[in-house]
Amino acid sequence: MMQASFLVLFLEPIRPYLEDDSVSEILINGSRAVYIERKGRLEKIDVAFVSEAALRAAAANIAKSVGRLLNDEYPRLDARLPDGSRVHAVIPPLCTCGTVIAIRKFSKDLLTVDKLLQSGSCSASMIRLIETMVKLHKNLIVSGATSSGKTSILNLLSSFISSQERILLIEDACELQLRQPHVVPFETRKPDKDGNGEVSIRDLIHSALRLRPDRLVIGEIRGAEAIDLLQAMNTGHSGSMSTIHANSPLDALYRLETCSLFSGFDIPISALRGQIAGAVNGLIHTSRLSDGTRKIIAVSEVLPLQGGEYRVQELMRWRTTALEPDGHISGIFEKCNAIPTFKTEAELSRLPLE
Ligand SMILES: Nc1ncnc2c1ncn2[C@@H]1O[C@H](COP(=O)(O)OP(=O)(O)OP(=O)(O)O)[C@@H](O)[C@H]1O
Ligand SMILES: [Mg+2]
């Protein structure tokens, strides 16, 4: 209940949904079209704002409350509120349906291993394999589409890091909730209204590398910072982890490639691919299935390049077996035939592979 109090100040018409912990997102497309996400599914709700002007004023107030502007000159707002909720807003004429606001409510309820298992998001053997990869200091990337559960799974991964390690955490907006005692969290800063003072993920990675990290945890790779993360992973900061938007584990590697090229770093593509295949050890792919459930659908390992091409081997995966008439998707988590390259390493450390 407490968590939504801040937004309630401005968004009275949607108060019940802000206060309802079973609602994870609220999407406002102009004053008359409001949708919520509950249990992974979107539904249109029967509420309306008094007018477009009232909705726009509410959005401007949200911006003001966090020291930002939302007006003709700055028509887009990306903000994290004091209660942890994430808000993105865009005002007309950029959106033609009226003011658009998306609220990702902050969930204090961490997705624990037990909860993930109960909801069928993964299998116990998948969790054991992932924990082993974290404990062996493999560099891991969580991939998946928008809102597929990447950040939640990164949070789970980070929970397997030993409390003896010094973790440097870098995010655009604080979302991850690490429980270890020795965490140094950083958050990027947007440029001010004159375009000055920006501190990017890249800048923070540079600082983090000078602050003796045992592990780097980066909330999300979206652009040029990919090259910095790859270099960190390749230069002895093993056990680093992040997320990236991608449609498949293999696509995650191509996305890292594209993001690295944004940096303007002049490196032949074959060399860049070698760096990526050398840096990233494991890929954990998440998906939101059509029945609204979110799952880890593949745990894969990145192998050395062959003929200049990436190779990814699946170690465990979700296999859909039936689509029920009510839309429910049945299936199983299964172990694949591949033998992990870190099998001996895991056995020597007495860590399970399944
Ligand atoms: N396995 C899961 N079971 C149930 N709910 C989940 C699961 N994973 C994530 N969620 C919920 O789904 C929403 C989106 O999750 P999350 O932020 O982790 O996704 P994301 O892929 O990082 O999204 P984005 O693309 O916006 O960064 C959150 O409300 C989260 O609590
Ligand atoms: Mg995320």
Side-chain angles (χ1 to χ4, degrees):
M1 281 280 199
M2 284 299 291
Q3 56 175 280
S5 57
F6 191 83
L7 284 164
V8 162
L9 284 175
F10 306 116
L11 298 169
E12 184 57 34
I14 56 167
R15 174 194 278 262
Y17 303 97
L18 288 165
E19 292 179 343
D20 179 347
D21 288 337
S22 71
V23 173
S24 53
E25 304 208 34
I26 302 173
L27 309 166
I28 303 168
N29 313 338
S31 61
R32 312 197 144 266
V34 182
Y35 292 79
I36 58 167
E37 184 188 300
R38 205 189 319 239
K39 294 203 174 83
R41 284 183 191 263
L42 278 183
E43 54 188 277
K44 187 160 193 263
I45 52 172
D46 190 19
V47 300
F49 286 79
V50 177
S51 62
E52 165 58 24
L55 174 60
R56 183 155 167 176
N61 279 332
I62 292 170
K64 202 167 163 199
S65 69
V66 290
R68 308 269 287 284
L69 294 171
L70 184 67
N71 55 29
D72 287 343
E73 199 180 347
Y74 302 99
R76 299 165 63 240
L77 170 74
D78 213 358
R80 179 176 62 89
L81 303 183
D83 61 21
S85 303
R86 229 169 68 176
V87 175
H88 191 78
V90 184
I91 55 171
L94 298 184
C95 38
T96 46
C97 62
T99 296
V100 169
I101 306 178
I103 302 166
R104 160 86 46 88
K105 283 165 64 184
F106 181 73
S107 163
K108 282 210 172 58
D109 266 358
L110 267 190
L111 284 168
T112 57
V113 169
D114 285 346
K115 279 190 202 146
L116 289 169
L117 291 175
Q118 262 169 29
S119 63
S121 298
C122 55
S123 67
S125 58
M126 229 175 204
I127 294 283
R128 286 192 289 272
L129 174 66
I130 292 173
E131 183 168 357
T132 291
M133 291 166 95
V134 173
K135 294 218 156 113
L136 290 177
H137 281 255
K138 300 296 169 200
N139 290 319
L140 302 173
I141 301 284
V142 182
S143 55
T146 302
S147 190
S148 57
K150 301 181 291 297
T151 303
S152 308
I153 296 303
L154 179 61
N155 209 69
L156 172 83
L157 257 58
S158 69
S159 72
F160 298 137
I161 299 176
S162 143
S163 57
Q164 308 299 316
E165 296 185 59
R166 177 170 160 87
I167 307 170
L168 284 256
L169 170 63
I170 300 175
E171 292 180 276
D172 258 333
C174 282
E175 280 187 287
L176 294 163
Q177 301 171 62
L178 272 60
R179 294 284 159 91
Q180 286 84 345
H182 197 160
V183 179
V184 190
F186 293 96
E187 202 179 29
T188 55
R189 188 171 70 188
K190 300 243 177 329
D192 67 15
K193 59 183 177 39
D194 302 316
N196 301 321
E198 181 178 18
V199 179
S200 66
I201 299 252
R202 297 198 74 178
D203 299 324
L204 293 175
I205 296 181
H206 290 177
S207 289
L209 291 177
R210 286 167 182 75
L211 293 169
R212 200 217 161 271
D214 284 321
R215 306 253 192 178
L216 279 186
V217 178
I218 318 279
E220 185 177 356
I221 297 296
R222 290 171 202 265
E225 65 274 6
I227 195 76
D228 304 279
L229 176 66
L230 291 170
Q231 284 173 349
M233 285 174 160
N234 267 326
T235 52
H237 296 284
S238 61
S240 298
M241 47 185 77
S242 189
T243 70
I244 198 163
H245 189 285
N247 298 324
S248 70
L250 185 62
D251 183 41
L253 300 178
Y254 287 114
R255 286 276 307 156
L256 277 172
E257 206 175 285
T258 312
C259 290
S260 302
L261 294 172
F262 287 151
S263 69
F265 192 58
D266 195 14
I267 175 174
I269 197 82
S270 57
L272 179 59
R273 287 198 176 167
Q275 275 219 21
I276 291 173
V280 182
N281 305 120
L283 294 163
I284 289 133
H285 193 70
T286 58
S287 179
R288 190 165 73 91
L289 306 190
S290 59
D291 64 355
T293 58
R294 292 179 168 90
K295 294 189 195 302
I296 297 179
I297 59 161
V299 179
S300 312
E301 197 186 358
V302 182
L303 301 177
L305 295 180
Q306 198 169 55
E309 294 296 326
Y310 294 118
R311 284 185 303 148
V312 170
Q313 73 168 0
E314 278 191 337
L315 302 177
M316 286 196 193
R317 69 170 154 243
W318 161 262
R319 184 160 59 84
T320 297
T321 51
L323 183 59
E324 313 294 345
D326 64 358
H328 176 77
I329 294 178
S330 324
I332 51 165
F333 291 101
E334 62 186 12
K335 187 179 160 211
C336 309
N337 284 328
I339 299 169
T341 58
F342 50 89
K343 180 170 183 281
T344 313
E345 206 183 332
E347 285 166 357
L348 288 173
S349 304
R350 296 200 173 77
L351 292 169
L353 287 166
E354 58 183 278

